[in-house]
Amino acid sequence: MSRRRLSEDERALWRGFARGVSPLRRSAGAALGAASDRTARDTPPPAQSSPKERVHAKQPPALAQFDRRLRQRVARGHLAIDVRLDLHGMTQKQAHAALLHFLTQAQAHDAKLALVVTGKGIDAASAAPERGVLRRQVPLWLSLPEFRRFIVSFQEAHASHGGEGALYLRLRRRLR
């Protein structure tokens, strides 16, 4: 069975796509053999990106699922929480700065597991709709790239550690 040839439009589309891709390793190109030589001839060299663009292009890894067994071990006291942060009484701005500083310090000290207490706020049925702001905001912040570089995953804590008003965080190891 013979393979069909790409049309000129398809080749142009492929060249445009290939320009934006960088190899994982130098040796990966050698494994492709003649196909990579053909592609290299057909495509012009990629435009040089500035260091600022390269920094923004590298995104921290996506959040992983918090392991159910790990949560069980922490809740039962079989695995110790390395560091704790209580955000009670802080404004959103203060809490955001405190959380960022806390995670930076925890990672620097090679902590593996953290507990962040946000507080539960008042019942949703109450008249004050602004209560429990940190409880809603902290999980959103932890999903942002600036925080993902510090954490692997997070999940609501067990009732013994604050339940809905607290979060377990699995911390990422720092790069050396």
Side-chain angles (χ1 to χ4, degrees), residues 143-156:
S143 299
L144 296 174
E146 69 180 309
F147 287 101
R148 280 198 330 247
R149 65 183 176 166
F150 297 111
I151 66 168
V152 175
S153 60
F154 66 91
Q155 185 174 5
E156 185 178 290

Side-chain angles (χ1 to χ4, degrees), residues 19-23 26 44-55 57:
R19 263 188 230 114
V21 176
S22 60
R26 289 254 183 242
Q48 295 294 325
S49 59
S50 69
K52 195 176 215 179
E53 288 173 353
R54 277 184 256 135
V55 169

Side-chain angles (χ1 to χ4, degrees), residues 70-98:
L70 175 66
R71 184 176 186 273
Q72 263 182 353
R73 291 177 59 213
V74 174
R76 293 177 180 165
H78 296 230
L79 187 62
I81 296 171
D82 299 320
V83 289
R84 298 166 193 263
L85 173 67
D86 191 346
L87 300 174
H88 277 108
M90 293 187 188
T91 64
Q92 285 188 58
K93 186 175 182 179
Q94 292 169 333
H96 188 274

